[in-house]
Amino acid sequence: MTKYIKQEMNDLNGTGKKRCYYRLESRGILSTKDLISQIAYPGSGLSTGSVTHVLQSMSDEIARSISKGYSISIEGLGIFKGSIGVIKGKEMDTIDGNDQKRNAASIVIDGVSFRADRDLISRANQSCKLKRGKVNRLHISPFTKEERLQQALTYLSNPDTPFMLEADYAKITGLSKFKAHEELVELRNDPDSGITFSGSGNRVIYYINKKANED
C-alpha cells in the first residue's frame, strides 16, 4: 500500500482558511541497479547486462539528440527537452543596450526538463493502491528572526544548556526542523550573530561565540 500525506500550505490570499494539498509519501529512491534488477527478473528472458546496455545507450542518445536541438518523445514514457543558460559567473545580457554581449562560448545546456506521457501517469495510477498517511502541518514561528536569535542566545547563556542542537532551536522557536537548520546555517555564517558551531553532518552543535564577544 502506498501512503498519501495531507500537507498544509501557506494561506497566500490571506483568507485565514487552512488550505492543503496531497502528496505521495516517499519510500526512497530506486537506484539504477534496483531498476535493472526489477526489469531483468528471473523468467523475464532479459539479462542484467542487456538491460544495462539499453539504458546506458538510451541515456547517451538522449544526451546527443538534446545537444543537437531535438526534443525526444518516448511513447509511454514522456518528452525530454533541453534548456540553456549562461555559464556560472556570467550575467545574461539584454536585447538592447551597451552592456557586454554574450557569445556562444558563454551559453551552455543547463538543464533537461521531462513531461510525462499521459499513458505513464495512467498506468501508475492503475497500479497504485492508496491509504491515508500522516498529516503534515506548517511550523510557523510566532517570533521574528531577531527574537529567535535572542531566544537562542538566552538558551545558550544558561549554564545548564551550554550548547544547542538543531532540534533544540526548532523547539524553542517553533520552526520546523528544516527551517531551523536553514536559519542556524545563516546565523553561524554571520559573525555578528554571536553564535558559532562545531562538528559536521548530524553532529553539529551550536554555542556562544565567546571570541567574537571579546572582540
Side-chain angles (χ1 to χ4, degrees), residues 24-92:
L24 292 175
E25 181 180 70
S26 175
R27 298 178 63 181
I29 298 176
L30 287 177
S31 67
T32 304
K33 185 178 179 180
D34 295 329
L35 182 62
I36 291 170
S37 296
Q38 292 194 18
I39 296 173
Y41 61 89
S44 66
L46 299 171
S47 68
T48 56
S50 63
V51 174
T52 300
H53 177 71
V54 169
L55 287 179
Q56 185 60 59
S57 298
M58 185 173 75
S59 175
D60 292 342
E61 190 53 45
I62 287 174
R64 276 193 292 269
S65 297
I66 286 175
S67 73
K68 296 176 182 178
Y70 291 101
S71 294
I72 298 91
S73 176
I74 302 177
E75 187 175 349
L77 185 60
I79 299 175
F80 296 86
K81 183 178 181 180
S83 62
I84 61 173
V86 295
I87 61 175
K88 188 175 181 179
K90 300 287 186 180
E91 292 185 4
M92 190 174 293

Side-chain angles (χ1 to χ4, degrees), residues 33-176:
K33 185 178 179 180
D34 295 329
L35 182 62
I36 291 170
S37 296
Q38 292 194 18
I39 296 173
Y41 61 89
S44 66
L46 299 171
S47 68
T48 56
S50 63
V51 174
T52 300
H53 177 71
V54 169
L55 287 179
Q56 185 60 59
S57 298
M58 185 173 75
S59 175
D60 292 342
E61 190 53 45
I62 287 174
R64 276 193 292 269
S65 297
I66 286 175
S67 73
K68 296 176 182 178
Y70 291 101
S71 294
I72 298 91
S73 176
I74 302 177
E75 187 175 349
L77 185 60
I79 299 175
F80 296 86
K81 183 178 181 180
S83 62
I84 61 173
V86 295
I87 61 175
K88 188 175 181 179
K90 300 287 186 180
E91 292 185 4
M92 190 174 293
D93 59 10
T94 57
I95 295 295
D96 301 304
N98 298 321
D99 54 332
Q100 183 180 358
K101 303 300 180 184
R102 299 285 168 238
N103 55 32
S106 301
I107 309 297
V108 295
I109 292 177
D110 62 359
V112 175
S113 63
F114 171 73
R115 189 176 72 217
D117 190 297
R118 288 184 178 275
D119 183 55
L120 176 66
I121 299 171
S122 177
R123 283 183 283 122
N125 181 55
Q126 290 172 6
S127 301
C128 184
K129 291 180 173 56
L130 286 171
K131 70 176 181 178
R132 182 188 293 271
K134 60 184 178 179
V135 175
N136 278 0
R137 297 188 180 277
L138 291 175
H139 294 272
I140 302 175
S141 176
F143 310 105
T144 65
K145 190 172 182 179
E146 291 73 20
E147 289 172 334
R148 294 195 291 270
L149 172 58
Q150 189 56 52
Q151 286 175 313
L153 292 172
T154 300
Y155 180 90
L156 293 171
S157 297
N158 188 330
D160 295 329
T161 53
F163 64 87
M164 178 176 66
L165 303 175
E166 288 180 359
D168 298 322
Y169 188 68
K171 184 176 180 179
I172 64 178
T173 61
L175 292 172
S176 67

